[in-house]
Amino acid sequence: MKIYGNLTMEDTSIRENGGQIQMGPQGGSVVNNKPSEQGNSQVQYSIPGILHFIQHEWARFELERSQWEVDRAELQARIAFLQGERKGQENLKNDLVRRIKMLEYALKQERAKYHKLKYGVDLQQGDMKPPVLEDSNNVDSQAETESPVVANHPSWRQGRQLLRQYLQEIGYTDRIIDVRSTRVRALLGLNNNAEQDENVNGAPVNGNESNKRASETQGRRTPAKKTQPSSLAEAMMMETEAAVMVNLDFLTNADVDMEDDDDINEDVELEPGDEMDDDVKAVKRKGKLDDDVDAEAMEVLNELNLLSESVDHQRQDIKEESNEWNKGLSYSSTGKPCRQLRINDEENIDSTLGLGELAQLTVNNDAETTYDISSSKEAFRKTWNAKYTLRSHFDGVRALAFHPTEPVLITASEDHTLKLWNLQKTVPAKKSASLDVEPLYTFRCHTGPVLCLAISGTGEYCYSGGLDRNIHCWHRSHGCSMSNIDPYDLFEPEVLNCTLSGHTDAVWGLSVLHSRQHLVSCAADGTVKLWAPHSEGALLNTFTSEADGVPSSVDFVNDEPNRIVAAFNSSHSIIFDTETGKPVVRLESGQDSVAANKQINRVVCHPTLPLTISAHEDRHIRFWDNNTGKIVHSMVAHLDAVTSLAVDPNGLYLLSGSHDCSIRLWHLDNKTCVQEITAHRKKFDESILDVAFHPSRPYIASAGADGLAKVFV
Amino acid sequence: MKMADGSVILRRNRPGTKAKDFCRWPDEVFEEMDSTLAVQQYIQQLIKRDPANIDLILKMPDAQDEGVWKYEHLRQFCMELNGLAVRLQNECHPETCTQMTATEQWIFLCAAHKTPKECPAIDYTRHTLDGAACLLNSNKYFPSRVSIKESSVAKLGSVCRRVYRIFSHAYYHHRVIFDVFENETHLCRRFTHFVTKYNLMSKDNLIVPILEEDNILDESEA
């Protein structure tokens, strides 16, 4: 049946052939003879003739079949390729979705912050969970997602194998391989040179392929030729494959390369500093040669050195700015892994090392975010200058706090009073650079020095704790009209909203949790107390840790609102869970705590990161990881005891005050000092007692034992 | 505060200091105080040691600028008067003490306003203390705490006169509060001696009978 069908099928074509060939009837080939025979007479079948015919037909069918196989392989390869492409697109999409989510989350947080600042209540918006889960998934699977083609490899390779087989058979090689390699390159977006041209005509080449192949195969009458180019094809194959693999490597290493870029940046940054140092050294050498190096000259040189160092720092700051947000972002979004990396021994941390490790953490190029933030940071980066001097207290100012939105602050002093100041109500300047502000209101109720102060999120309430063991809650019924108080108005007893008594000794620390209107206090009686100041039975809980001594400072843990951190004068801090009342994490350095007085004078929590910062009597500022309780960084920050700390609302800068009369502004990322201001005079051995950032306006303030408070803009 | 090995004494009230230990450190000799606030430190140190020892508290160190001495004492008085004002807040209500009076002889007008007016006693007290705080901290009149212009020293008298009325009101209208406060702080006695010693107020205005008591005591001892 088959043969018969074949025969009949072939009739027409043979005739055609016959028609063509009849012009040369003498043709010596068997094939040519036969149609002529056919043409001459239908009856004259000879066995050899039929055999010839069948053989010929079989050869043709084989040829065609191999062609189809090649086609099939080609199409399979194409399918694999398209699948890879789809996967790539999917990953791209996922990545974009991830970014959108992150941006959404950032926006939500911004909104919540804004809302909180404006109304003092947490904004209830559905899902405030950071998209961390998905992020971490993404991070985990980054290896595969970043190389979509690799994920698809097995099927792709199968297709290739098959294709190679047939290409070896037929010798159909160069063109298609080139096309494919360029296509792979196109997919990877790596066309760098002339290959691109090829890629441009890739599609037409592709479209013409069948025709071309037809012509090629026509020229290649027999599959016998197939063995000839196999070695060449193999070589080509290996080459392209290698190229593709290299490209893939490049893809997976994309972020590694970016890290390299960072490194390069850092190297570049360091160079100028080195040069400066060299210069200084050169000067030094010269000085030595001159042989008349006296103490003065040495001092000058030292100063030069310092100068160059500081210049170096600043330069570094500026250069690293663009990286920093990336780091911050990666730090906050990827959470734990990064945190683990940052933990170090107290000993071997220097800022550069910490930074180096941070630099490794840089993830994607979040170009848009980087842009925005760095520009806003640019605005924030500036030199602070003293603008307002708040003089009205008779004795040292122990604490100060800004109103959440208004340019208003309250100071608490050892003269038993608190005073309210509006920075917009200034006394006309009298040939003085700094403006004098007169207080608008004096809060009197404490019968001893007022030691600590906190303002609620709305600015409506103010809490103060004093040596007289009481915590007073003050309320300005005027609310927003706080700025319109007549300083010599009538006395309103209702200004004193309530008094929280429970502590049996001096109250030294206060902090407010804005979202819940909770207040935490610590006192010299050894207790930390949690209050809900405006409800019945205001005292919610009491926390103690007798082994650690007396608490000196407290703060709420910002990223976990049901936790508080209390610092003790034994140099340890403890994070308590407010629900259970149990200590959760201990922050202790565990080192020679006996030798030096490492008492913690102030403890603050970072507004967004799980980071606690403590100011110590031994001139150090120490940074702690809230989750592990390990010390993350430690630095000698001042020439004398560090007394006070404040973190700016964005969490980028740290302000510290010390008994060395200076306040210092620190970059939180690289822990370098950005600015130092000598602000207050000493009274006995005390100088600066508190520092603060305005939560929403560009003000910082310091309070001193000299009875003054200063505001910088 | 003192470290065992006799290392430097740091006179600090570190956070966590108990109320009874507040400012409890070894006295520092006035000559060794190198701070610009030495006079305030010295005065507070004397008061802390014994608030009843008025003669010692008012004994000016040698070579001390008298203007600064008086100024720093007045600052200290105003500061401690806050304590009396806090106590008065609980009892001296605008409804009961509608005017600032001591004896029936005078009604004091509150000078804190553009046109002096009859503030209730508690407001007079607060306004006077606030006004005194502003004046004594004014950059215009008292830019320095190390040296004070003669013209500014003249202002001290009027501040003394005004804040003294707080004592007299408390003495004549809130005697219990006054006595408790005076027992603790000896503030009115110190103030009376201070203004007498430095002639900041005329004796006629010193209507709280403190000098008389002291004189009687002196005489009986003699």
Side-chain angles (χ1 to χ4, degrees):
Chain A
M1 277 293 282
K2 225 180 191 174
I3 292 172
Y4 176 75
N6 281 346
L7 282 175
T8 47
M9 255 179 63
E10 281 309 307
D11 265 3
T12 45
S13 64
I14 286 166
R15 276 208 190 114
E16 269 177 29
N17 276 351
Q20 276 177 354
I21 295 162
Q22 256 166 9
M23 289 187 275
Q26 297 217 355
S29 81
V30 186
V31 186
N32 286 346
N33 282 345
K34 193 177 52 168
S36 63
E37 284 172 9
Q38 261 184 350
N40 292 341
S41 72
Q42 297 287 331
V43 201
Q44 292 182 359
Y45 289 114
S46 66
I47 292 297
I50 290 167
L51 279 178
H52 263 287
F53 174 74
I54 288 171
Q55 256 178 351
H56 167 74
E57 287 303 298
W58 181 79
R60 272 188 47 167
F61 286 142
E62 278 300 296
L63 193 67
E64 265 170 355
R65 204 182 69 149
S66 72
Q67 266 182 12
W68 291 329
E69 295 280 14
V70 168
D71 266 342
R72 198 173 71 127
E74 162 79 1
L75 287 171
Q76 269 175 348
R78 187 165 162 73
I79 286 165
F81 164 75
L82 288 172
Q83 273 174 346
E85 205 166 45
R86 203 197 72 178
K87 203 130 189 173
Q89 295 286 359
E90 252 170 22
N91 283 315
L92 201 67
K93 194 200 79 183
N94 281 342
D95 189 50
L96 288 171
V97 166
R98 185 169 63 95
R99 284 176 195 212
I100 289 167
K101 276 190 182 160
M102 280 170 73
L103 287 171
E104 266 175 3
Y105 175 63
L107 188 69
K108 269 185 194 165
Q109 272 199 329
E110 275 306 309
R111 278 196 196 132
K113 204 159 86 185
Y114 175 75
H115 193 271
K116 206 193 283 178
L117 288 177
K118 200 167 175 194
Y119 306 108
V121 200
D122 253 351
L123 182 59
Q124 295 303 321
Q125 45 179 0
D127 174 31
M128 275 295 288
K129 287 264 164 65
V132 168
L133 235 172
E134 224 186 81
D135 278 349
S136 63
N137 278 347
N138 268 359
V139 169
D140 289 344
S141 61
Q142 209 133 40
E144 351 166 2
T145 55
E146 293 215 322
S147 53
V149 190
V150 174
N152 214 11
H153 214 228
S155 62
W156 189 50
R157 180 162 274 173
Q158 258 183 2
R160 282 181 69 92
Q161 210 76 36
L162 205 64
L163 182 61
R164 187 196 290 181
Q165 209 178 316
Y166 285 110
L167 289 176
Q168 278 174 349
E169 264 182 14
I170 308 157
Y172 158 60
T173 52
D174 310 3
R175 195 70 199 155
I176 197 169
I177 286 168
D178 280 348
V179 167
R180 295 225 33 232
S181 82
T182 47
R183 217 187 291 151
V184 169
R185 275 159 187 272
L187 171 69
L188 303 174
L190 292 169
N191 285 304
N192 31 9
N193 42 27
E195 276 175 349
Q196 195 145 25
D197 300 342
E198 271 187 315
N199 186 37
V200 172
N201 354 340
V205 165
N206 209 0
N208 292 339
E209 248 166 19
S210 49
N211 306 346
K212 200 182 292 166
R213 193 191 311 128
S215 63
E216 272 174 2
T217 44
Q218 264 184 2
R220 243 183 256 133
R221 307 292 308 185
T222 53
K225 269 185 182 172
K226 68 183 177 186
T227 47
Q228 187 240 344
S230 70
S231 63
L232 179 69
E234 196 119 271
M236 291 294 291
M237 221 49 193
M238 297 309 279
E239 208 174 270
T240 45
E241 201 155 59
V244 168
M245 284 311 172
V246 166
N247 289 338
L248 290 176
D249 279 349
F250 183 82
L251 191 72
T252 48
N253 289 346
D255 45 353
V256 175
D257 285 343
M258 280 173 50
E259 275 172 28
D260 287 347
D261 285 351
D262 283 355
D263 289 347
I264 288 161
N265 274 347
E266 270 167 22
D267 290 345
V268 172
E269 285 148 26
L270 291 176
E271 270 165 29
D274 289 346
E275 274 169 27
M276 297 279 290
D277 273 351
D278 286 346
D279 286 349
V280 174
K281 273 174 203 152
V283 176
K284 233 179 205 162
R285 228 170 278 134
K286 223 195 246 169
K288 273 176 190 161
L289 286 174
D290 284 345
D291 233 357
D292 57 354
V293 189
D294 51 14
E296 248 177 43
M298 286 307 284
E299 256 179 37
V300 170
L301 287 174
N302 283 338
E303 272 176 18
L304 266 176
N305 242 333
L306 279 174
L307 206 68
S308 68
E309 260 172 36
S310 69
V311 167
D312 185 13
H313 279 315
Q314 282 185 350
R315 212 171 285 188
Q316 218 164 333
D317 291 344
I318 294 163
K319 289 240 177 172
E320 278 161 8
E321 230 163 75
S322 59
N323 300 340
E324 276 155 10
W325 181 252
N326 273 347
K327 285 168 208 159
L329 205 66
S330 67
Y331 185 83
S332 55
S333 62
T334 53
K336 257 191 180 138
C338 307
R339 230 178 282 140
Q340 299 295 345
L341 273 173
R342 286 192 56 179
I343 295 156
N344 276 305
D345 293 332
E346 189 173 0
E347 251 63 51
N348 56 8
I349 301 167
D350 57 10
S351 60
T352 48
L353 183 69
L355 186 69
E357 277 183 346
L358 269 180
Q360 302 292 318
L361 295 172
T362 311
V363 194
N364 301 306
N365 52 334
D366 290 321
E368 318 88 335
T369 18
T370 311
Y371 180 75
D372 284 341
I373 299 305
S374 65
S375 63
S376 74
K377 264 178 77 180
E378 206 59 59
F380 192 75
R381 165 178 291 283
K382 58 170 190 166
T383 313
W384 297 89
N385 294 308
K387 182 153 183 205
Y388 306 100
T389 308
L390 316 186
R391 353 164 131 245
S392 189
H393 282 296
F394 286 119
D395 208 343
V397 183
R398 276 273 160 192
L400 54 76
F402 277 103
H403 188 274
T405 50
E406 311 257 335
V408 165
L409 73 157
I410 297 176
T411 52
S413 164
E414 289 181 22
D415 68 7
H416 308 189
T417 65
L418 296 96
K419 286 179 193 269
L420 174 84
W421 313 74
N422 186 333
L423 298 177
Q424 284 169 345
K425 291 268 175 84
T426 54
V427 176
K430 296 220 170 63
K431 61 186 170 184
S432 163
S434 67
L435 298 166
D436 272 12
V437 190
E438 282 190 8
L440 290 183
Y441 191 82
T442 304
F443 301 89
R444 289 189 178 86
C445 199
H446 284 285
T447 54
V450 191
L451 303 174
C452 50
L453 175 65
I455 294 186
S456 73
T458 51
E460 210 178 340
Y461 292 97
C462 161
Y463 311 94
S464 64
L467 201 69
D468 60 5
R469 296 146 205 202
N470 287 328
I471 300 168
H472 291 307
C473 311
W474 310 90
H475 174 60
R476 290 299 316 186
S477 50
H478 303 293
C480 290
S481 65
M482 205 174 215
S483 43
N484 299 324
I485 303 163
D486 176 4
Y488 300 107
D489 215 345
L490 298 180
F491 177 66
E492 306 160 64
E494 61 270 19
V495 166
L496 179 65
N497 188 259
C498 61
T499 297
L500 307 172
S501 41
H503 282 297
T504 56
D505 210 324
V507 181
W508 277 99
L510 279 179
S511 180
V512 172
L513 180 64
H514 300 314
S515 56
R516 292 187 196 162
Q517 295 217 336
H518 282 179
L519 182 74
V520 65
S521 64
C522 70
D525 59 8
T527 61
V528 173
K529 287 180 189 288
L530 182 73
W531 313 83
H534 308 294
S535 53
E536 299 280 319
L539 180 62
L540 296 177
N541 212 338
T542 301
F543 313 88
T544 50
S545 178
E546 272 147 31
D548 293 291
V550 176
S552 52
S553 179
V554 280
D555 198 6
F556 279 97
V557 178
N558 288 305
D559 57 341
E560 287 175 88
N562 59 340
R563 290 188 177 183
I564 53 170
V565 59
F568 289 84
N569 58 7
S570 60
S571 90
H572 304 311
S573 303
I574 297 177
I575 296 178
F576 290 100
D577 189 312
T578 54
E579 315 265 312
T580 64
K582 295 271 186 319
V584 184
V585 184
R586 285 178 66 87
L587 313 177
E588 50 184 302
S589 51
Q591 293 171 343
D592 61 328
S593 51
V594 202
N597 183 358
K598 284 166 73 176
Q599 138 143 38
I600 299 176
N601 287 324
R602 183 66 59 89
V603 68
V604 292
C605 277
H606 192 279
T608 51
L609 304 178
L611 185 71
T612 296
I613 308 166
S614 55
H616 294 251
E617 187 76 13
D618 66 351
R619 302 177 296 161
H620 280 75
I621 295 177
R622 293 185 170 86
F623 300 80
W624 312 82
D625 186 307
N626 284 353
N627 295 359
T628 62
K630 293 268 166 36
I631 195 159
V632 178
H633 186 76
S634 168
M635 61 184 183
V636 175
H638 281 275
L639 303 173
D640 206 335
V642 188
T643 57
S644 45
L645 292 173
V647 183
D648 87 294
N650 299 321
L652 299 173
Y653 292 93
L654 174 73
L655 193 63
S656 64
S658 159
H659 287 320
D660 68 3
C661 301
S662 73
I663 59 173
R664 293 186 180 198
L665 189 65
W666 304 85
H667 221 286
L668 265 180
D669 278 323
N670 50 23
K671 317 282 193 296
T672 53
C673 182
V674 184
Q675 195 182 354
E676 179 185 352
I677 309 168
T678 304
H680 293 276
R681 294 178 184 152
K682 278 202 165 189
K683 182 192 167 198
F684 287 110
D685 291 306
E686 295 185 321
S687 173
I688 288 165
L689 299 170
D690 201 8
V691 289
F693 271 100
H694 194 289
S696 57
R697 291 175 189 243
Y699 293 116
I700 57 173
S702 63
D706 57 2
L708 304 181
K710 292 188 177 180
V711 177
F712 306 82
V713 293
Chain B
M1 283 295 165
K2 196 168 188 174
M3 297 188 183
D5 54 357
S7 60
V8 190
I9 302 158
L10 290 173
R11 293 178 172 82
R12 281 177 189 162
N13 296 305
R14 297 183 178 86
T17 304
K18 294 195 183 304
K20 64 178 169 56
D21 295 325
F22 197 80
C23 288
R24 213 177 68 168
W25 46 61
D27 286 348
E28 191 173 13
V29 187
F30 179 67
E31 285 70 30
E32 285 176 9
M33 293 180 182
D34 49 3
S35 157
T36 51
L37 307 176
V39 182
Q40 185 188 22
Q41 289 179 23
Y42 181 65
I43 292 170
Q44 288 182 345
Q45 186 173 291
L46 292 175
I47 295 169
K48 177 90 189 170
R49 199 194 298 161
D50 181 8
N53 194 345
I54 289 161
D55 289 338
L56 181 64
I57 295 170
L58 294 181
K59 185 169 176 289
M60 188 172 74
D62 302 333
Q64 172 59 44
D65 181 300
E66 195 179 287
V68 174
W69 179 252
K70 288 192 279 190
Y71 168 74
E72 288 293 346
H73 261 294
L74 189 52
R75 281 179 67 105
Q76 186 68 27
F77 283 122
C78 290
M79 179 175 137
E80 292 188 50
L81 265 170
N82 278 323
L84 183 57
V86 167
R87 289 166 204 242
L88 286 177
Q89 272 178 180
N90 299 324
E91 192 184 294
C92 178
H93 299 297
E95 303 82 40
T96 52
C97 300
T98 55
Q99 294 167 325
M100 186 62 171
T101 54
T103 53
E104 298 304 315
Q105 199 179 355
W106 299 100
I107 296 172
F108 300 112
L109 298 186
C110 185
H113 312 275
K114 283 200 181 89
T115 51
K117 67 178 187 185
E118 279 181 42
C119 282
I122 190 63
D123 288 318
Y124 185 97
T125 304
R126 289 170 52 252
H127 296 168
T128 301
L129 287 176
D130 291 349
C134 280
L135 179 74
L136 293 177
N137 285 293
S138 148
N139 208 16
K140 187 179 165 192
Y141 298 110
F142 302 99
S144 162
R145 287 172 76 171
V146 184
S147 70
I148 289 168
K149 290 180 291 200
E150 207 47 50
S151 61
S152 300
V153 176
K155 300 262 172 201
L156 300 180
S158 66
V159 175
C160 288
R161 245 189 356 263
R162 289 197 187 116
V163 298
Y164 184 78
R165 290 166 192 161
I166 302 169
F167 286 120
S168 55
H169 176 77
Y171 182 83
Y172 286 104
H173 296 270
H174 310 281
R175 186 62 187 271
V176 179
I177 289 179
F178 178 89
D179 285 344
V180 171
F181 185 74
E182 187 62 18
N183 263 337
E184 271 177 37
T185 62
H186 309 274
L187 194 67
C188 186
R189 181 180 304 273
R190 192 167 89 217
F191 190 85
T192 309
H193 282 270
F194 169 72
V195 292
T196 315
K197 183 173 181 179
Y198 295 103
N199 262 325
L200 292 161
M201 282 172 69
S202 75
K203 285 205 170 140
D204 303 339
N205 288 334
L206 297 173
I207 49 177
V208 180
I210 284 198
L211 289 177
E212 289 80 354
E213 278 177 29
D214 286 358
N215 288 337
I216 293 163
L217 276 176
D218 287 349
E219 279 164 18
S220 63
E221 278 168 18

PDB file of all heavy atoms in Angstrom, chain A residues 194-208:
ATOM      1  N   ALA A 194      29.248  45.112  17.400  1.00  0.00           N
ATOM      2  CA  ALA A 194      28.716  44.823  16.078  1.00  0.00           C
ATOM      3  C   ALA A 194      27.622  43.763  16.103  1.00  0.00           C
ATOM      4  O   ALA A 194      26.769  43.736  15.233  1.00  0.00           O
ATOM      5  CB  ALA A 194      29.839  44.349  15.163  1.00  0.00           C
ATOM      6  N   GLU A 195      27.664  42.928  17.105  1.00  0.00           N
ATOM      7  CA  GLU A 195      26.674  41.857  17.171  1.00  0.00           C
ATOM      8  C   GLU A 195      25.257  42.394  17.162  1.00  0.00           C
ATOM      9  O   GLU A 195      24.333  41.730  16.723  1.00  0.00           O
ATOM     10  CB  GLU A 195      26.901  41.035  18.425  1.00  0.00           C
ATOM     11  CG  GLU A 195      27.948  39.980  18.225  1.00  0.00           C
ATOM     12  CD  GLU A 195      28.242  39.255  19.498  1.00  0.00           C
ATOM     13  OE1 GLU A 195      27.778  39.714  20.549  1.00  0.00           O
ATOM     14  OE2 GLU A 195      28.929  38.236  19.428  1.00  0.00           O
ATOM     15  N   GLN A 196      25.164  43.578  17.637  1.00  0.00           N
ATOM     16  CA  GLN A 196      23.839  44.170  17.682  1.00  0.00           C
ATOM     17  C   GLN A 196      23.226  44.242  16.283  1.00  0.00           C
ATOM     18  O   GLN A 196      22.031  44.020  16.113  1.00  0.00           O
ATOM     19  CB  GLN A 196      23.927  45.578  18.288  1.00  0.00           C
ATOM     20  CG  GLN A 196      22.587  46.115  18.706  1.00  0.00           C
ATOM     21  CD  GLN A 196      22.747  46.958  19.955  1.00  0.00           C
ATOM     22  OE1 GLN A 196      23.816  47.479  20.199  1.00  0.00           O
ATOM     23  NE2 GLN A 196      21.695  47.085  20.735  1.00  0.00           N
ATOM     24  N   ASP A 197      24.064  44.582  15.336  1.00  0.00           N
ATOM     25  CA  ASP A 197      23.562  44.659  13.963  1.00  0.00           C
ATOM     26  C   ASP A 197      22.921  43.336  13.563  1.00  0.00           C
ATOM     27  O   ASP A 197      21.816  43.289  13.035  1.00  0.00           O
ATOM     28  CB  ASP A 197      24.705  44.974  12.998  1.00  0.00           C
ATOM     29  CG  ASP A 197      25.340  46.300  13.341  1.00  0.00           C
ATOM     30  OD1 ASP A 197      24.670  47.075  14.073  1.00  0.00           O
ATOM     31  OD2 ASP A 197      26.461  46.540  12.915  1.00  0.00           O
ATOM     32  N   GLU A 198      23.643  42.307  13.848  1.00  0.00           N
ATOM     33  CA  GLU A 198      23.121  40.988  13.515  1.00  0.00           C
ATOM     34  C   GLU A 198      21.783  40.782  14.167  1.00  0.00           C
ATOM     35  O   GLU A 198      20.866  40.229  13.573  1.00  0.00           O
ATOM     36  CB  GLU A 198      24.091  39.923  13.981  1.00  0.00           C
ATOM     37  CG  GLU A 198      25.120  39.592  12.925  1.00  0.00           C
ATOM     38  CD  GLU A 198      25.954  38.428  13.367  1.00  0.00           C
ATOM     39  OE1 GLU A 198      26.366  38.435  14.531  1.00  0.00           O
ATOM     40  OE2 GLU A 198      26.180  37.541  12.552  1.00  0.00           O
ATOM     41  N   ASN A 199      21.752  41.241  15.410  1.00  0.00           N
ATOM     42  CA  ASN A 199      20.521  41.061  16.144  1.00  0.00           C
ATOM     43  C   ASN A 199      19.379  41.809  15.480  1.00  0.00           C
ATOM     44  O   ASN A 199      18.250  41.361  15.470  1.00  0.00           O
ATOM     45  CB  ASN A 199      20.711  41.559  17.579  1.00  0.00           C
ATOM     46  CG  ASN A 199      19.501  41.248  18.409  1.00  0.00           C
ATOM     47  OD1 ASN A 199      18.901  40.198  18.222  1.00  0.00           O
ATOM     48  ND2 ASN A 199      19.158  42.160  19.297  1.00  0.00           N
ATOM     49  N   VAL A 200      19.715  42.949  14.931  1.00  0.00           N
ATOM     50  CA  VAL A 200      18.661  43.741  14.294  1.00  0.00           C
ATOM     51  C   VAL A 200      18.040  42.976  13.143  1.00  0.00           C
ATOM     52  O   VAL A 200      16.827  42.939  12.981  1.00  0.00           O
ATOM     53  CB  VAL A 200      19.226  45.093  13.799  1.00  0.00           C
ATOM     54  CG1 VAL A 200      18.182  45.811  12.969  1.00  0.00           C
ATOM     55  CG2 VAL A 200      19.641  45.933  14.986  1.00  0.00           C
ATOM     56  N   ASN A 201      18.883  42.340  12.342  1.00  0.00           N
ATOM     57  CA  ASN A 201      18.284  41.557  11.250  1.00  0.00           C
ATOM     58  C   ASN A 201      17.910  40.180  11.723  1.00  0.00           C
ATOM     59  O   ASN A 201      17.583  39.327  10.923  1.00  0.00           O
ATOM     60  CB  ASN A 201      19.182  41.402  10.015  1.00  0.00           C
ATOM     61  CG  ASN A 201      20.424  42.210  10.121  1.00  0.00           C
ATOM     62  OD1 ASN A 201      20.457  43.134  10.903  1.00  0.00           O
ATOM     63  ND2 ASN A 201      21.426  41.886   9.350  1.00  0.00           N
ATOM     64  N   GLY A 202      17.992  39.953  13.004  1.00  0.00           N
ATOM     65  CA  GLY A 202      17.680  38.632  13.531  1.00  0.00           C
ATOM     66  C   GLY A 202      16.329  38.125  13.051  1.00  0.00           C
ATOM     67  O   GLY A 202      16.220  36.997  12.589  1.00  0.00           O
ATOM     68  N   ALA A 203      15.357  38.993  13.141  1.00  0.00           N
ATOM     69  CA  ALA A 203      14.010  38.548  12.807  1.00  0.00           C
ATOM     70  C   ALA A 203      13.871  38.151  11.341  1.00  0.00           C
ATOM     71  O   ALA A 203      13.404  37.048  11.048  1.00  0.00           O
ATOM     72  CB  ALA A 203      13.005  39.638  13.167  1.00  0.00           C
ATOM     73  N   PRO A 204      14.292  39.000  10.414  1.00  0.00           N
ATOM     74  CA  PRO A 204      14.207  38.602   9.017  1.00  0.00           C
ATOM     75  C   PRO A 204      14.998  37.328   8.730  1.00  0.00           C
ATOM     76  O   PRO A 204      14.505  36.451   8.015  1.00  0.00           O
ATOM     77  CB  PRO A 204      14.815  39.774   8.240  1.00  0.00           C
ATOM     78  CG  PRO A 204      15.205  40.796   9.233  1.00  0.00           C
ATOM     79  CD  PRO A 204      14.674  40.409  10.540  1.00  0.00           C
ATOM     80  N   VAL A 205      16.140  37.232   9.312  1.00  0.00           N
ATOM     81  CA  VAL A 205      16.917  36.012   9.120  1.00  0.00           C
ATOM     82  C   VAL A 205      16.089  34.832   9.549  1.00  0.00           C
ATOM     83  O   VAL A 205      15.982  33.829   8.851  1.00  0.00           O
ATOM     84  CB  VAL A 205      18.217  36.082   9.942  1.00  0.00           C
ATOM     85  CG1 VAL A 205      18.846  34.704  10.039  1.00  0.00           C
ATOM     86  CG2 VAL A 205      19.174  37.068   9.301  1.00  0.00           C
ATOM     87  N   ASN A 206      15.491  35.015  10.688  1.00  0.00           N
ATOM     88  CA  ASN A 206      14.658  33.973  11.217  1.00  0.00           C
ATOM     89  C   ASN A 206      13.546  33.619  10.237  1.00  0.00           C
ATOM     90  O   ASN A 206      13.270  32.472   9.957  1.00  0.00           O
ATOM     91  CB  ASN A 206      14.059  34.453  12.539  1.00  0.00           C
ATOM     92  CG  ASN A 206      13.795  33.285  13.458  1.00  0.00           C
ATOM     93  OD1 ASN A 206      14.064  32.162  13.073  1.00  0.00           O
ATOM     94  ND2 ASN A 206      13.302  33.574  14.641  1.00  0.00           N
ATOM     95  N   GLY A 207      12.909  34.645   9.741  1.00  0.00           N
ATOM     96  CA  GLY A 207      11.778  34.438   8.842  1.00  0.00           C
ATOM     97  C   GLY A 207      12.202  33.709   7.567  1.00  0.00           C
ATOM     98  O   GLY A 207      11.457  32.893   7.026  1.00  0.00           O
ATOM     99  N   ASN A 208      13.388  33.998   7.101  1.00  0.00           N
ATOM    100  CA  ASN A 208      13.834  33.426   5.846  1.00  0.00           C
ATOM    101  C   ASN A 208      14.425  32.048   6.011  1.00  0.00           C
ATOM    102  O   ASN A 208      14.777  31.406   5.026  1.00  0.00           O
ATOM    103  CB  ASN A 208      14.904  34.322   5.211  1.00  0.00           C
ATOM    104  CG  ASN A 208      14.287  35.620   4.763  1.00  0.00           C
ATOM    105  OD1 ASN A 208      13.076  35.676   4.573  1.00  0.00           O
ATOM    106  ND2 ASN A 208      15.108  36.651   4.621  1.00  0.00           N
TER     107      ASN A 208
END
